Amino acid sequence: MVSHADVVVVGGGASGMMAALTAAERGRSVLLLERMDQPGRKLRITGKGRCNLTNTAPLRDFLMHVGSDSRFLRNAFGRFFNEELMQFFEQRGVPLTVERGLRVFPSSGKAQDIFMALILDLEAHSNVTIRKGCRVKRILTAESSACGVELENGEQIAAHSVVMATGGRSYPLTGSTGDGYAMLREVGHTIVPTVPSLVPLIIDENLPSETVGFTLKNATLRVCDASGRKLYEGFGELSFEEDALCGPLVLSASRVVSRLLHAGQTLTAHIDMKPAIEDKTLDKRLINDLNANGNRLLDDALRLWMPAEMVPLFKQQLKLDYTKKLHQVSGVERRRLLQTLKGSTFTVTATRGYEEAIVTQGGVALSEVEPKSMRSRKLSSLYIIGELLDLDADTGGYNLQIAFSTGVAAGQNC
Ligand SMILES: Cc1cc2nc3c(=O)[nH]c(=O)nc-3n(C[C@H](O)[C@H](O)[C@H](O)COP(=O)(O)OP(=O)(O)OC[C@H]3O[C@@H](n4cnc5c(N)ncnc54)[C@H](O)[C@@H]3O)c2cc1C
């Protein structure tokens, strides 16, 4: 059993496997420690099992999906970015396909192929040892340097460099339960409080069973605070669960509002079902429809303006006498119909938990990590990479690129 190595990598996720491989290619002896029975559990379920490994957007656009801290990544991306990542997998026999939104997937549609490329390469290196079912409990230090790790069973392993790659807290069943935060706090790092992100938003309203499970396409979602200030606005697809809004648009919104919700704020979500039609034009259309179908029941006519699954929700939002005929609908009522089509309103009280969050927001303060090498500014010989860092991005392949690029940076420097 290996009791010392040049480099100990803690965590066999996307970032840890990449760091281990990069260090091994430089001739370092590498010990990869993974608490689960297999590394890469999360990687294998990414992108609904298809793994959206990166995005071909140019650097500037890419960084906009990361947010205000994205400049931290400029150096790492400068050396290993989307093109290098794609080349990396293609050279290892994994053909890739660019899909809608510049998202990159393995052409096979199997996340497993991405995992296999990494694990086979690691296994092919005689200077790499992988220990599974091996949970690290503590970082060992000597003076101001990391000098190894201690396992849950008390065993100590010495190392010249320790790379922390234990991920965030999301999807804890994959092994990412936030262990790294406590270990890094213990050696002096600041942990920006974490919240679940890319996660459904819980609402106060109980949605009608007909609407639950329905996906509304081409809608606009706006989320505002109690004073009416707009926090998020986006266009796309969202869906409804019994007590929550979900789908791509809602996940994006959650990145902006999760922290506020976890601080106890209540927010308001507005859904515009007709974002492409201006009020005036929509009003004209309503007038035409009311005139042309005067004897039709309002209840029945709602389907002229929205998918059938949305009708019960619309009626829940707007209390009207739906037994009326269209010629009986007053100007005020028409105005209210229009307002509800352009903005059904929901009270957002919380997010779902880490079990359903694609990423964790918060983590190791970026000011305490050197952006070029991912080296800790608190302890020399300690490196921190991947989702453990206070970095997160939109859906679209951005998060895995962060994991891979920070992994390469640490692997090149440890
Ligand atoms: C369902 C889902 C789908 C996703 N899809 C995509 C996608 O398509 N595209 C994209 O860009 N991003 C996606 N993401 C996000 C992306 O998977 C993560 O951002 C990325 O995996 C983070 O990599 P990581 O190496 O930092 O951490 P992780 O992949 O979480 O790996 C951390 C590893 O460390 C191990 N570990 C933890 N504690 C210890 C310990 N004490 N000792 C030893 N080992 C430990 C864990 O078991 C785990 O294997 C998805 C996330 C989820 C949950």
Side-chain angles (χ1 to χ4, degrees):
M1 188 151 300
V2 182
S3 61
H4 63 87
D6 291 337
V7 181
V8 163
V9 178
V10 185
S15 66
M17 285 196 280
M18 187 58 103
L21 200 49
T22 310
E25 276 167 0
R26 290 172 53 233
R28 301 286 186 269
S29 66
V30 179
L31 176 60
L32 178 62
L33 303 174
E34 168 54 50
R35 65 178 284 194
M36 305 298 278
D37 57 350
Q38 282 293 327
R41 278 233 182 161
K42 186 177 283 180
L43 182 59
R44 281 178 280 167
I45 59 162
T46 53
K48 300 196 169 120
R50 297 178 60 227
C51 186
N52 176 197
L53 64 149
T54 186
N55 192 291
T56 60
L59 182 63
R60 218 173 125 225
D61 298 353
F62 194 110
L63 292 177
M64 281 180 8
H65 290 275
V66 182
S68 57
D69 291 324
S70 62
R71 65 189 177 285
F72 176 87
L73 290 165
R74 277 188 178 274
N75 208 304
F77 281 176
R79 276 170 299 139
F80 188 89
F81 191 41
N82 46 17
E83 274 184 24
E84 288 78 12
L85 184 65
M86 291 171 73
Q87 220 172 58
F88 174 94
F89 283 108
E90 280 168 345
Q91 279 168 358
R92 283 160 182 77
V94 186
L96 303 173
T97 305
V98 182
E99 295 191 6
R100 187 175 51 87
L102 306 179
R103 293 161 191 245
V104 181
F105 294 87
S107 307
S108 64
K110 290 186 189 142
Q112 177 75 4
D113 291 356
I114 295 295
F115 167 72
M116 286 309 291
L118 285 164
I119 200 78
L120 289 177
D121 205 351
L122 281 167
E123 285 171 357
H125 279 81
S126 57
N127 53 339
V128 175
T129 306
I130 301 175
R131 277 179 68 180
K132 303 162 195 166
C134 192
R135 188 173 188 177
V136 174
K137 194 179 73 180
R138 206 155 69 85
I139 299 164
L140 301 174
T141 60
E143 293 169 13
S144 57
S145 188
C147 63
V149 293
E150 185 176 307
L151 308 185
E152 210 175 23
N153 64 8
E155 180 188 340
Q156 297 198 336
I157 299 171
H160 291 300
S161 303
V162 174
V163 180
M164 290 297 288
T166 51
R169 292 186 205 278
S170 358
Y171 272 62
L173 287 178
T174 63
S176 317
T177 50
D179 282 11
Y181 303 128
M183 289 190 259
L184 288 162
R185 193 180 287 120
E186 197 180 277
V187 297
H189 273 286
T190 310
I191 309 299
V192 175
T194 65
V195 291
S197 190
L198 298 180
V199 67
L201 298 177
I202 295 178
I203 53 175
D204 240 3
E205 293 77 8
N206 265 326
L207 300 183
S209 58
E210 298 89 334
T211 312
V212 171
F214 179 68
T215 298
L216 183 64
K217 294 192 170 139
N218 304 321
T220 294
L221 171 70
R222 193 157 36 93
V223 186
C224 300
D225 67 11
S227 69
R229 189 170 59 103
K230 185 171 76 184
L231 304 167
Y232 172 86
E233 186 166 53
F235 171 80
E237 191 174 301
L238 57 86
S239 41
F240 300 90
E241 289 183 7
E242 210 166 308
D243 64 341
L245 302 174
C246 47
L249 203 46
V250 177
L251 298 190
S252 299
S254 75
R255 278 195 71 218
V256 183
V257 303
S258 179
R259 199 168 285 288
L260 298 174
L261 291 166
H262 285 268
Q265 288 200 33
T266 297
L267 308 175
T268 313
H270 304 272
I271 296 174
D272 182 349
M273 281 195 262
K274 303 280 175 202
I277 313 178
E278 287 198 18
D279 284 19
K280 248 187 175 170
T281 316
L282 184 58
D283 197 35
K284 268 192 196 153
R285 188 180 150 192
L286 288 179
I287 293 171
N288 281 343
D289 288 344
L290 295 177
N291 289 338
N293 302 277
N295 277 326
R296 200 163 164 179
L297 286 180
L298 178 56
D299 198 16
D300 175 44
L302 288 176
R303 286 196 211 165
L304 292 172
W305 307 313
M306 69 195 78
E309 294 87 343
M310 291 299 289
V311 168
L313 175 61
F314 187 88
K315 285 164 71 179
Q316 188 183 69
Q317 290 263 321
L318 178 61
K319 302 286 178 222
L320 280 184
D321 177 4
Y322 288 97
T323 62
K324 272 187 178 180
K325 293 193 169 167
L326 292 196
H327 71 85
Q328 295 171 309
V329 173
S330 70
V332 173
E333 287 168 334
R334 191 185 76 236
R335 205 65 229 148
R336 292 178 67 202
L337 285 168
L338 185 145
Q339 279 162 1
T340 311
L341 282 168
K342 296 290 288 175
S344 358
T345 302
F346 303 87
T347 307
V348 184
T349 54
T351 72
R352 288 262 174 84
Y354 287 110
E355 299 72 29
E356 290 184 50
I358 302 288
V359 288
T360 303
Q361 203 167 76
V364 177
L366 298 181
S367 59
E368 298 174 359
V369 179
E370 289 174 10
K372 183 169 170 274
S373 58
M374 302 298 139
R375 195 193 323 260
S376 156
R377 294 189 202 272
K378 298 277 175 190
L379 285 183
S380 60
S381 319
L382 177 66
Y383 298 78
I384 306 165
I385 57 175
E387 211 176 302
L388 246 184
L389 294 164
D390 178 23
L391 276 175
D392 64 283
D394 288 330
T395 57
Y398 308 103
N399 286 295
L400 277 173
Q401 180 73 52
I402 294 174
F404 288 130
S405 293
T406 55
V408 168
Q412 284 174 343
N413 286 280
C414 61

